[in-house]
Amino acid sequence: MGTWDVGITSNDTAQDLKADFQAAFSYYDVETALAKINAYVRAEGFDESDESDWCDYYYSLANFMWKKGILTDRVRDTAVNMIDTGFGLEIWADEGEKTLHKRKKALAKFREMLLSPQPAKKKIKVDLFLDSVFDIGYYIAFQRDIRIQIQIP
């Protein structure tokens, strides 16, 4: 896991999952998307036993849902409970008192956001980042299979 700041989405997990959140919530209703995302992250080896990774996942999920206006009570309450119980703070304590204080401050601000009225529901679009497999100047040939159907009276 890569973390570069104390912020809720300042880690590789949050950034990597953003595209998955976009895809799931743009295609499925909220409850189905949540079930699919949960199954996916668990299949990838995420669970509550790794508090740091689980916080990265769950906080980024709650953050994404709140910003899109689709945060459910269950996701909000779970995230708030994680914050209130200090779940996942042990790794931050290992980084020193100053870093732990900054993380707690970021979590307090995040908690306040989660408990505030969320914005109106927004349309969720999938960001597609397609890298070209060809360089400029390459020639590409396609063989077309043309079939003509003739109807004889």
Side-chain angles (χ1 to χ4, degrees), residues 1-151:
M1 171 193 75
T3 301
W4 53 88
D5 191 28
V6 296
I8 300 305
T9 59
S10 299
N11 58 76
D12 290 341
T13 301
Q15 296 304 309
D16 291 345
L17 288 173
K18 184 178 178 184
D20 297 319
F21 297 158
Q22 288 173 327
F25 288 113
S26 69
Y27 188 74
Y28 298 107
D29 64 90
V30 172
E31 287 304 319
T32 303
L34 283 172
K36 298 237 181 232
I37 290 166
N38 188 53
Y40 169 74
V41 297
R42 289 184 185 279
E44 291 295 310
F46 287 81
D47 63 34
E48 297 85 347
S49 67
D50 185 338
E51 292 184 14
S52 178
D53 280 348
W54 192 255
C55 286
D56 291 345
Y57 153 62
Y58 213 86
Y59 292 160
S60 64
L61 173 66
N63 184 61
F64 179 88
M65 292 179 73
W66 186 90
K67 288 182 175 182
K68 298 300 181 183
I70 58 172
L71 181 63
T72 63
D73 291 346
R74 182 173 52 91
V75 172
R76 181 200 62 221
D77 294 347
T78 300
V80 168
N81 185 54
M82 289 168 59
I83 294 166
D84 290 347
T85 61
F87 185 83
L89 284 178
E90 187 174 307
I91 194 167
W92 295 96
D94 293 344
E95 296 298 317
E97 191 62 37
K98 186 175 180 180
T99 302
L100 177 61
H101 177 72
K102 287 181 180 179
R103 177 64 172 183
K104 285 181 176 180
K105 190 174 180 180
L107 287 173
K109 187 174 181 179
F110 179 57
R111 183 185 189 281
E112 186 178 313
M113 181 191 85
L114 291 176
L115 295 174
S116 68
Q118 58 185 318
K121 185 176 179 179
K122 295 179 175 80
K123 182 168 176 59
I124 300 170
K125 298 181 284 182
V126 178
D127 292 333
L128 295 178
F129 300 101
L130 303 175
D131 292 332
S132 176
V133 296
F134 303 106
D135 290 331
I136 294 175
Y138 277 31
Y139 290 95
I140 305 168
F142 294 96
Q143 181 176 350
R144 293 179 42 182
D145 184 13
I146 301 176
R147 296 177 189 206
I148 301 174
Q149 184 176 15
I150 301 174
Q151 185 175 10

